[in-house]
Amino acid sequence: MDSFADRKQYCVTAEDNQAEVRNSDDKTVYRCLKRMADVTLSTAALVVLSPVFLVTALAIYMEDGGPVIFVQERVGKDEKRFKMYKFRSMRKDADKIHEKLKREYQNEEVSFKLKDDPRITKVGNFIRKSNIDELPQLLNILRGEMSIVGPRPLPVYEYEEERQRYGSTYQARYQVPQGLTCYWQVEDRAETSFEERMQLDVNYAHDCSARLDMYLTMKTMLAILHGRAGY
């Protein structure tokens, strides 16, 4: 016959299992709601903002020629790679200049950025400050490659360097859909180090919920309205 201790252990295990089932069910509902919101909002935004897409594409082409869309391979959920879209805000030879600038500034940051980046065009400067350059990612969201809220997907070269330097330290950030906005996008991005951004992404992966997504979406809209854009 089972001892009292055995029965007590069984009861604790059963309660824990029930809690795990509830948590799993909650996460399933959350993921379904998140995907429904992504599809609905991205579709509506693509329709409403179609004139902005047209004007932006014409402005880029008139200043610097084509292509107007910049396509870059990024790392998404579960470390799967996909092609992310942006309006081109830099010169066509921007990639060639990148490593040269890192050497000139003697900067070994994984994510190297300059406030007054000489690679950025005049139109590009405007669409970056207004975040218009990110609008084509609505297509990535509609296709299920991204979400509205989630860690920003890293370019492949940043991802590879991040894994080489930090190993699995920030692994959790890849367990959720990568997104347009998350914790560090709603603050002053220029003052946030790469390590801090990665840790904030890990925090989101642990804390993500429908309420948090709504909060971050609203904070992002306010940040855009107040001109706190990244570079």
Side-chain angles (χ1 to χ4, degrees), residues 5-17:
D6 290 336
R7 291 197 300 273
K8 182 179 180 182
Q9 179 63 42
Y10 172 79
C11 291
V12 171
T13 303
E15 289 173 358
D16 290 345
N17 287 340

Side-chain angles (χ1 to χ4, degrees), residues 1-149:
M1 187 173 179
D2 293 340
S3 67
F4 175 76
D6 290 336
R7 291 197 300 273
K8 182 179 180 182
Q9 179 63 42
Y10 172 79
C11 291
V12 171
T13 303
E15 289 173 358
D16 290 345
N17 287 340
Q18 290 175 0
E20 289 178 4
V21 170
R22 286 195 296 271
N23 289 337
S24 178
D25 290 343
D26 290 345
K27 286 296 183 183
T28 300
V29 171
Y30 163 64
R31 285 193 293 266
C32 290
L33 290 174
K34 185 180 181 73
R35 181 59 188 152
M36 288 173 60
D38 284 342
V39 172
T40 302
L41 294 176
S42 60
T43 300
L46 283 167
V47 173
V48 172
L49 297 174
S50 55
V52 178
F53 274 74
L54 179 60
V55 171
T56 303
L58 287 173
I60 294 171
Y61 188 83
M62 290 177 64
E63 180 184 21
D64 197 37
V68 299
I69 297 293
F70 174 68
V71 182
Q72 186 179 50
E73 193 172 36
R74 300 267 179 144
V75 180
K77 184 179 182 292
D78 299 325
E79 300 174 78
K80 294 180 180 178
R81 300 184 182 188
F82 69 98
K83 295 186 184 300
M84 193 187 81
Y85 308 120
K86 297 181 72 170
F87 278 120
R88 184 168 62 84
S89 60
M90 292 188 175
R91 293 164 42 181
K92 296 177 185 178
D93 58 351
D95 286 341
K96 296 179 181 178
I97 303 173
H98 185 256
E99 289 302 321
K100 180 182 176 182
L101 287 171
K102 286 187 72 172
R103 289 193 299 270
E104 287 181 1
Y105 282 84
Q106 298 181 342
N107 191 312
E108 295 302 323
E109 274 279 327
V110 176
S111 179
F112 171 67
K113 300 179 186 295
L114 289 172
K115 187 172 184 179
D116 298 313
D117 197 322
R119 298 173 297 167
I120 301 175
T121 63
K122 292 179 180 179
V123 172
N125 187 52
F126 173 77
I127 63 176
R128 279 187 165 219
K129 287 183 177 179
S130 58
N131 284 303
I132 291 174
D133 64 322
E134 308 287 358
L135 290 181
Q137 287 156 51
L138 292 168
L139 293 170
N140 292 116
I141 294 172
L142 194 59
R143 290 168 55 168
E145 297 162 334
M146 290 178 60
S147 180
I148 291 174
V149 181

